[in-house]
Coordinates of all heavy atoms in Angstrom, one line a residue:
D245 N 97.1 33.3 21.7 CA 96.4 34.3 22.5 C 96.1 33.7 23.9 O 96.2 34.5 24.9 CB 95.1 34.7 21.8 CG 95.3 35.6 20.7 OD1 96.3 35.4 19.9 OD2 94.5 36.5 20.4
L311 N 84.3 30.4 16.3 CA 83.2 31.1 15.6 C 83.7 32.0 14.5 O 84.7 32.6 14.6 CB 82.3 31.8 16.6 CG 81.7 31.0 17.7 CD1 80.8 31.9 18.6 CD2 80.8 29.9 17.2
G312 N 82.8 32.1 13.5 CA 83.1 33.1 12.4 C 82.4 34.4 12.6 O 81.2 34.4 13.2
Y313 N 83.0 35.5 12.3 CA 82.4 36.8 12.4 C 82.6 37.6 11.1 O 83.7 37.3 10.4 CB 83.0 37.6 13.6 CG 82.8 37.0 14.9 CD1 83.6 35.9 15.4 CD2 81.7 37.4 15.7 CE1 83.4 35.3 16.6 CE2 81.5 36.8 17.0 CZ 82.3 35.8 17.4 OH 82.2 35.2 18.6
L314 N 81.8 38.5 10.8 CA 82.0 39.4 9.6 C 82.1 40.8 10.1 O 81.3 41.2 11.0 CB 80.9 39.3 8.6 CG 80.9 37.9 7.9 CD1 79.6 37.9 7.0 CD2 82.1 37.6 7.0
F315 N 83.0 41.6 9.6 CA 83.1 43.0 9.9 C 83.0 43.9 8.7 O 83.4 43.4 7.6 CB 84.5 43.3 10.6 CG 84.7 42.8 12.0 CD1 85.3 41.6 12.2 CD2 84.2 43.5 13.0 CE1 85.4 41.1 13.5 CE2 84.3 43.1 14.3 CZ 84.9 41.9 14.6
P316 N 82.5 45.1 8.8 CA 82.3 45.9 7.6 C 83.6 46.3 6.9 O 83.6 46.3 5.7 CB 81.7 47.2 8.2 CG 81.0 46.8 9.5 CD 81.9 45.7 10.0
T317 N 84.7 46.5 7.7 CA 86.0 46.8 7.1 C 87.1 46.2 7.9 O 86.8 45.8 9.1 CB 86.2 48.3 7.0 OG1 86.3 48.8 8.4 CG2 85.1 49.1 6.3
F318 N 88.3 46.2 7.4 CA 89.4 45.7 8.1 C 89.7 46.6 9.3 O 90.1 46.1 10.4 CB 90.6 45.6 7.2 CG 91.8 44.9 7.8 CD1 91.7 43.6 8.3 CD2 93.1 45.4 7.8 CE1 92.7 42.9 8.8 CE2 94.2 44.7 8.3 CZ 94.0 43.5 8.8
A319 N 89.5 47.9 9.2 CA 89.7 48.8 10.3 C 88.8 48.5 11.4 O 89.2 48.5 12.6 CB 89.6 50.3 9.8
D320 N 87.6 48.1 11.1 CA 86.6 47.7 12.2 C 87.1 46.4 12.9 O 87.0 46.3 14.1 CB 85.2 47.5 11.6 CG 84.6 48.8 11.0 OD1 84.7 49.8 11.7 OD2 84.0 48.7 10.0
G321 N 87.6 45.5 12.1 CA 88.1 44.3 12.7 C 89.3 44.5 13.5 O 89.4 43.9 14.6
L322 N 90.2 45.3 13.1 CA 91.4 45.7 13.9 C 91.0 46.3 15.2 O 91.5 45.9 16.3 CB 92.3 46.6 13.2 CG 93.1 46.1 11.9 CD1 94.0 47.2 11.4 CD2 93.8 44.8 12.2
A323 N 90.1 47.2 15.2 CA 89.6 47.9 16.4 C 89.0 46.9 17.4 O 89.1 47.0 18.6 CB 88.7 49.0 16.0
A324 N 88.2 45.9 16.8 CA 87.5 45.0 17.7 C 88.6 44.1 18.3 O 88.5 43.8 19.6 CB 86.6 44.1 16.8
M325 N 89.6 43.6 17.6 CA 90.6 42.8 18.2 C 91.4 43.5 19.2 O 91.8 43.0 20.3 CB 91.6 42.3 17.1 CG 91.0 41.5 16.0 SD 90.0 40.0 16.6 CE 88.4 40.4 15.9
R326 N 91.7 44.8 19.0 CA 92.3 45.6 20.0 C 91.5 45.7 21.3 O 92.1 45.6 22.4 CB 92.5 47.0 19.4 CG 93.3 48.0 20.4 CD 93.1 49.4 19.8 NE 91.7 49.9 19.9 CZ 91.1 50.6 19.0 NH1 91.8 51.1 17.9 NH2 89.8 51.0 19.1
I328 N 89.2 43.6 22.3 CA 89.2 42.3 22.9 C 90.5 42.1 23.8 O 90.4 41.6 24.9 CB 89.0 41.2 21.9 CG1 87.6 41.3 21.3 CG2 89.3 39.8 22.5 CD1 87.4 40.4 20.1
V337 N 91.9 32.2 20.0 CA 92.2 32.6 18.6 C 91.6 34.0 18.4 O 90.4 34.2 18.7 CB 91.7 31.6 17.6 CG1 92.0 32.2 16.1 CG2 92.3 30.3 17.7
T338 N 92.3 34.9 17.9 CA 91.7 36.2 17.4 C 92.3 36.5 16.1 O 93.5 36.8 16.0 CB 92.0 37.4 18.4 OG1 93.4 37.5 18.7 CG2 91.2 37.2 19.6
R339 N 91.5 36.3 15.0 CA 92.1 36.5 13.7 C 91.1 37.2 12.9 O 89.8 36.9 12.9 CB 92.4 35.1 13.1 CG 92.8 35.1 11.6 CD 93.1 33.7 11.2 NE 93.4 33.6 9.7 CZ 94.3 33.0 9.2 NH1 95.2 32.3 9.9 NH2 94.5 32.9 7.8
V340 N 91.5 38.2 12.1 CA 90.6 38.9 11.1 C 91.4 39.1 9.8 O 92.5 39.5 9.8 CB 90.1 40.2 11.7 CG1 91.2 41.1 12.1 CG2 89.1 40.9 10.7
S341 N 90.8 38.7 8.7 CA 91.4 38.9 7.4 C 91.0 40.2 6.8 O 89.8 40.7 7.0 CB 90.9 37.7 6.4 OG 91.4 36.5 6.9
D342 N 91.8 40.8 6.0 CA 91.4 42.0 5.2 C 90.5 41.6 4.1 O 90.2 40.4 3.9 CB 92.6 42.8 4.8 CG 93.4 42.1 3.7 OD1 93.1 40.9 3.3 OD2 94.4 42.7 3.2
A343 N 90.0 42.5 3.3 CA 89.0 42.2 2.2 C 89.6 41.3 1.2 O 89.0 40.3 0.8 CB 88.5 43.5 1.6
P344 N 90.9 41.5 0.7 CA 91.4 40.6 -0.3 C 91.6 39.2 0.2 O 91.3 38.2 -0.5 CB 92.8 41.3 -0.6 CG 92.6 42.7 -0.3 CD 91.7 42.8 0.9
E345 N 92.0 39.0 1.5 CA 92.1 37.6 2.0 C 90.7 37.0 2.2 O 90.5 35.8 2.0 CB 92.9 37.6 3.3 CG 93.2 36.2 3.8 CD 94.2 36.1 4.9 OE1 95.4 36.3 4.6 OE2 93.8 35.9 6.1
T346 N 89.8 37.8 2.6 CA 88.4 37.3 2.8 C 87.9 36.8 1.4 O 87.2 35.8 1.3 CB 87.5 38.4 3.3 OG1 87.9 38.8 4.6 CG2 86.1 38.0 3.4
S349 N 89.5 33.6 0.5 CA 88.9 32.5 1.4 C 87.6 32.0 0.8 O 87.3 30.8 0.7 CB 88.7 33.0 2.8 OG 89.9 33.3 3.4
Q381 N 84.3 45.3 0.8 CA 85.2 45.6 1.9 C 85.0 44.7 3.1 O 85.7 44.9 4.1 CB 85.0 47.1 2.3 CG 85.3 48.1 1.2 CD 86.8 48.0 0.8 OE1 87.7 48.0 1.6 NE2 86.9 47.9 -0.6
M382 N 84.1 43.8 3.1 CA 83.8 42.9 4.2 C 84.9 42.0 4.6 O 85.6 41.6 3.7 CB 82.5 42.1 3.8 CG 82.1 41.2 4.9 SD 80.5 40.3 4.3 CE 81.1 39.4 2.9
C383 N 85.1 41.8 5.8 CA 86.2 41.1 6.3 C 85.8 39.9 7.3 O 84.9 40.1 8.1 CB 87.2 42.0 7.1 SG 88.0 43.2 6.1
L384 N 86.4 38.7 7.0 CA 86.0 37.5 7.8 C 87.0 37.4 8.9 O 88.2 37.6 8.8 CB 86.2 36.3 6.8 CG 85.9 34.9 7.5 CD1 84.5 34.8 8.0 CD2 86.2 33.9 6.4
S385 N 86.4 37.0 10.1 CA 87.2 36.9 11.3 C 86.9 35.5 12.0 O 85.7 35.0 11.8 CB 86.8 38.0 12.3 OG 87.4 37.8 13.6
F386 N 87.9 35.0 12.7 CA 87.7 33.8 13.5 C 88.1 34.1 14.9 O 89.2 34.7 15.2 CB 88.5 32.6 13.0 CG 88.1 32.2 11.6 CD1 89.0 32.5 10.5 CD2 86.9 31.6 11.3 CE1 88.7 32.1 9.2 CE2 86.6 31.2 10.0 CZ 87.5 31.5 9.0
I387 N 87.2 33.7 15.9 CA 87.6 33.9 17.3 C 87.3 32.6 18.0 O 86.2 32.0 17.8 CB 86.8 35.0 17.9 CG1 87.1 36.4 17.2 CG2 87.1 35.2 19.4 CD1 86.2 37.6 17.7
G388 N 88.3 32.1 18.7 CA 88.2 30.8 19.4 C 88.1 30.9 20.9 O 88.6 31.9 21.5
V407 N 82.4 42.9 19.5 CA 82.2 42.8 18.1 C 81.1 43.7 17.6 O 81.2 44.4 16.6 CB 82.0 41.3 17.7 CG1 81.6 41.2 16.2 CG2 83.3 40.5 17.9
H410 N 81.6 47.3 17.0 CA 82.4 47.7 15.9 C 81.7 47.2 14.6 O 82.4 47.0 13.5 CB 83.8 47.0 16.0 CG 84.6 47.7 17.1 ND1 85.2 48.9 17.0 CD2 84.9 47.2 18.4 CE1 85.8 49.2 18.1 NE2 85.6 48.2 19.0
G412 N 80.4 44.3 13.8 CA 80.5 43.0 13.5 C 79.4 42.1 13.7 O 78.4 42.5 14.5
Y423 N 87.6 26.3 9.1 CA 89.0 26.9 9.3 C 89.8 25.9 10.1 O 91.0 25.6 9.8 CB 88.9 28.2 10.0 CG 90.1 28.7 10.7 CD1 91.2 29.2 10.0 CD2 90.3 28.6 12.1 CE1 92.4 29.6 10.7 CE2 91.4 28.9 12.8 CZ 92.4 29.5 12.0 OH 93.6 29.9 12.7
W453 N 99.4 48.3 18.6 CA 98.1 48.6 18.1 C 97.9 50.0 17.4 O 97.3 50.1 16.4 CB 97.0 48.5 19.3 CG 96.8 47.1 19.8 CD1 97.1 46.7 21.1 CD2 96.1 46.1 19.2 NE1 96.8 45.4 21.2 CE2 96.1 45.0 20.1 CE3 95.5 45.9 17.9 CZ2 95.6 43.7 19.8 CZ3 95.0 44.6 17.6 CH2 95.0 43.6 18.5
L456 N 99.2 49.8 13.7 CA 98.8 48.7 12.8 C 98.2 49.2 11.5 O 98.5 48.7 10.4 CB 97.9 47.7 13.5 CG 98.6 46.8 14.5 CD1 97.5 45.8 15.0 CD2 99.8 46.1 14.0
Y460 N 99.8 48.7 7.9 CA 99.0 47.9 6.9 C 99.0 48.7 5.6 O 99.2 48.2 4.5 CB 97.6 47.7 7.4 CG 96.7 47.1 6.4 CD1 96.8 45.7 6.0 CD2 95.7 47.9 5.7 CE1 95.9 45.2 5.1 CE2 94.8 47.3 4.8 CZ 94.9 46.0 4.5 OH 94.1 45.5 3.5
M481 N 97.5 40.2 0.2 CA 96.4 40.0 1.2 C 97.0 39.9 2.6 O 98.2 39.6 2.8 CB 95.5 38.9 0.9 CG 96.1 37.5 0.9 SD 95.0 36.3 0.2 CE 96.0 34.8 0.3
C482 N 96.2 40.1 3.7 CA 96.7 40.2 5.0 C 95.7 39.7 6.0 O 94.5 39.8 5.8 CB 97.1 41.7 5.3 SG 97.6 42.0 7.0
H483 N 96.2 39.2 7.2 CA 95.3 38.9 8.3 C 96.1 39.4 9.6 O 97.3 39.3 9.6 CB 94.8 37.5 8.4 CG 95.8 36.5 8.7 ND1 96.3 35.7 7.6 CD2 96.5 36.1 9.8 CE1 97.2 34.8 8.2 NE2 97.3 35.1 9.5
L484 N 95.3 39.8 10.6 CA 95.8 40.0 11.9 C 95.6 38.7 12.7 O 94.6 38.0 12.6 CB 95.0 41.1 12.6 CG 95.4 41.3 14.1 CD1 95.2 42.8 14.5 CD2 94.5 40.5 15.0
S485 N 96.7 38.3 13.4 CA 96.6 37.1 14.3 C 97.5 37.4 15.5 O 98.3 38.4 15.5 CB 96.9 35.8 13.6 OG 98.2 35.9 13.0
H486 N 97.5 36.5 16.5 CA 98.4 36.6 17.6 C 98.3 38.0 18.3 O 99.2 38.8 18.2 CB 99.9 36.4 17.2 CG 100.1 35.2 16.3 ND1 99.8 33.9 16.8 CD2 100.4 35.1 15.0 CE1 100.1 33.0 15.8 NE2 100.4 33.7 14.7
S487 N 97.2 38.2 19.0 CA 97.0 39.5 19.6 C 97.7 39.5 21.0 O 97.7 38.5 21.7 CB 95.5 39.7 19.8 OG 94.9 39.9 18.6
A492 N 99.8 43.4 17.9 CA 99.5 42.2 17.2 C 100.4 41.9 16.1 O 101.2 42.8 15.6 CB 98.0 42.3 16.8
C493 N 100.2 40.7 15.5 CA 100.9 40.3 14.3 C 100.1 40.6 13.1 O 98.9 40.3 13.1 CB 101.2 38.8 14.4 SG 101.7 38.0 12.8
L494 N 100.7 41.1 12.0 CA 100.1 41.2 10.7 C 100.8 40.3 9.8 O 102.0 40.3 9.7 CB 100.1 42.7 10.1 CG 99.3 43.7 10.8 CD1 99.4 45.0 10.0 CD2 97.8 43.3 10.9
Y495 N 100.1 39.5 9.1 CA 100.6 38.3 8.3 C 100.2 38.6 6.8 O 99.0 38.5 6.5 CB 100.1 37.0 8.8 CG 100.7 35.8 8.3 CD1 101.5 35.0 9.2 CD2 100.6 35.3 7.0 CE1 102.1 33.8 8.8 CE2 101.2 34.2 6.6 CZ 101.9 33.4 7.5 OH 102.5 32.3 7.0
F496 N 101.1 38.9 6.0 CA 100.9 39.2 4.6 C 101.2 38.0 3.7 O 102.2 37.4 3.9 CB 101.7 40.4 4.2 CG 101.3 41.7 4.8 CD1 101.8 42.0 6.1 CD2 100.4 42.6 4.2 CE1 101.5 43.3 6.7 CE2 100.0 43.8 4.9 CZ 100.6 44.1 6.1

Side-chain angles (χ1 to χ4, degrees):
D245 288 33
L311 298 180
Y313 299 83
L314 294 173
F315 287 97
T317 67
F318 192 50
D320 293 318
L322 293 184
M325 299 305 120
R326 181 195 64 217
I328 291 170
V337 176
T338 52
R339 175 175 173 138
V340 58
S341 296
D342 68 356
E345 186 169 284
T346 297
S349 297
Q381 296 301 308
M382 181 175 65
C383 295
L384 178 63
S385 172
F386 299 108
I387 302 177
V407 168
H410 294 282
Y423 161 76
W453 291 109
L456 288 183
Y460 173 77
M481 58 189 184
C482 174
H483 65 257
L484 173 147
S485 58
H486 313 293
S487 294
C493 165
L494 290 185
Y495 194 110
F496 293 85

